[in-house]
Amino acid sequence: MDRTFKLGGDLTIDRIGFGAMRLTGQPGNFGPYPDWEGGKALLTRAADLGVNFFDSARAYGPQHADRLLGEALAERDVVLATKGGIDKFAPDRMKRDASPATLRQQIEDARVNLRRDVIDLFQLHWIDPEVPVETSMEALVQARDDGLIRHIGLSNVDRETLDRALAVGPVASVQNRLNSAERAHEALVDYTAERGIAFIPYGPLGAHPMKHGAALEPVAALAWLLERAPNIVVIPGTTSLAHLEQNASAWSQVQGAV
């Protein structure tokens, strides 16, 4: 089984990545991570272990997780992904806005926060009920054509929405909740695999997005996902060096890993 995946057909990433949501203030993933230097050390250790795909979002903090990644990994040869289309105003208060003007500004902010001229993967975090997905996609395609982002991803979508987006432009990834205990999106895993689209399951360990702690045994849960389909890229998040190293060991339980 291949340990890597070509994101968008041209960015080779290890299929065990890192999700940065927990590197924020608590409760509610709101505010800056209190141990900023410790967070940077964790991220650089992940890169040292071979992790080369890091997933963040504007809503994490908001913007603080992106800034932490930018400070820690600006000089590293890694793929950085973020999301937009949501702003967060309090631990329990967010607003969707995937209008073209807002997405453009959020891309510009992400370029500053991540310290990258080109964002490797910019994902629409949620579909805005007030803005057709086609309109949001057109804005992202324009940003790609203008050299601001390399690839476009979608999060929290069904097959119909993905097809509507694909009619406008290429989609490199889909990020929906999936783990061995929550399998509602397994059909979409297969659909994306057939099309060379990465499936990035959030909640891979069954954790509640606003609470710490894994509901599933980490290594077994990650191994199940890695074996489920060759396009799955897992992004377990942690604030612990020990858990980081445990997550990175998941390949040891995957049959036929090379």
Side-chain angles (χ1 to χ4, degrees), residues 7-237:
L7 181 68
D10 65 350
L11 294 176
T12 300
I13 57 175
D14 193 279
R15 291 177 56 215
I16 298 181
F18 184 95
M21 183 176 68
R22 298 302 187 195
L23 295 180
T24 50
Q26 301 302 323
N29 309 310
F30 189 75
Y33 187 56
D35 183 10
W36 196 262
E37 292 303 314
K40 289 166 63 176
L42 182 76
L43 291 167
T44 56
R45 176 59 179 154
D48 291 341
L49 288 171
V51 175
N52 70 343
F53 178 72
F54 294 81
D55 178 83
S56 184
R58 180 185 180 90
Y60 301 165
Q63 301 193 64
H64 292 298
D66 278 7
R67 291 173 183 140
L68 186 58
L69 261 65
E71 285 191 27
L73 302 170
E75 305 303 321
R76 304 298 289 261
D77 183 19
V78 295
V79 174
L80 299 184
T82 191
K83 308 178 198 73
I86 285 183
D87 253 324
K88 192 165 190 171
F89 305 101
D92 60 352
R93 187 161 66 91
M94 293 186 289
K95 179 184 178 182
R96 300 184 195 186
D97 183 351
S99 62
T102 294
L103 290 175
R104 186 74 172 207
Q105 183 58 57
Q106 291 182 350
I107 289 168
E108 294 290 357
D109 292 342
R111 294 171 70 215
V112 173
N113 293 335
L114 293 173
R115 304 189 182 193
R116 294 291 181 91
D117 291 334
V118 182
I119 304 301
D120 295 314
L121 176 66
F122 189 89
Q123 304 156 96
L124 183 60
H125 203 154
W126 284 91
I127 301 299
D128 182 344
E130 303 299 323
V131 180
V133 66
E134 291 86 354
T135 301
S136 300
M137 272 295 295
E138 287 167 0
L140 296 176
V141 169
Q142 185 62 58
R144 183 204 60 189
D145 292 347
D146 291 342
L148 305 181
I149 63 178
R150 182 165 285 112
H151 293 299
I152 299 165
L154 301 175
S155 186
N156 298 295
V157 294
D158 56 18
R159 176 172 166 173
E160 178 191 7
T161 305
L162 173 59
D163 284 340
R164 288 170 57 193
L166 286 168
V168 178
V171 174
S173 66
V174 166
Q175 185 168 156
N176 285 6
R177 187 173 179 89
L178 179 76
N179 56 63
S180 58
E182 299 172 276
R183 306 186 184 187
H185 295 290
E186 280 199 274
L188 194 57
V189 171
D190 299 328
Y191 189 69
T192 52
E194 293 168 359
R195 286 153 182 77
I197 297 171
F199 190 97
I200 307 171
Y202 69 80
L205 308 184
H208 188 287
M210 296 299 179
K211 300 176 183 178
H212 281 285
L216 304 170
E217 196 287 316
V219 173
L222 295 176
W224 181 85
L225 286 164
L226 293 166
E227 289 184 318
R228 173 60 183 77
N231 65 320
I232 286 183
V233 179
V234 298
I235 50 167

Side-chain angles (χ1 to χ4, degrees), residues 232-254:
I232 286 183
V233 179
V234 298
I235 50 167
T238 184
T239 60
S240 160
L241 282 169
H243 290 162
L244 170 69
E245 294 179 0
Q246 180 185 42
N247 293 339
S249 74
W251 281 117
S252 66
Q253 288 199 19
V254 177

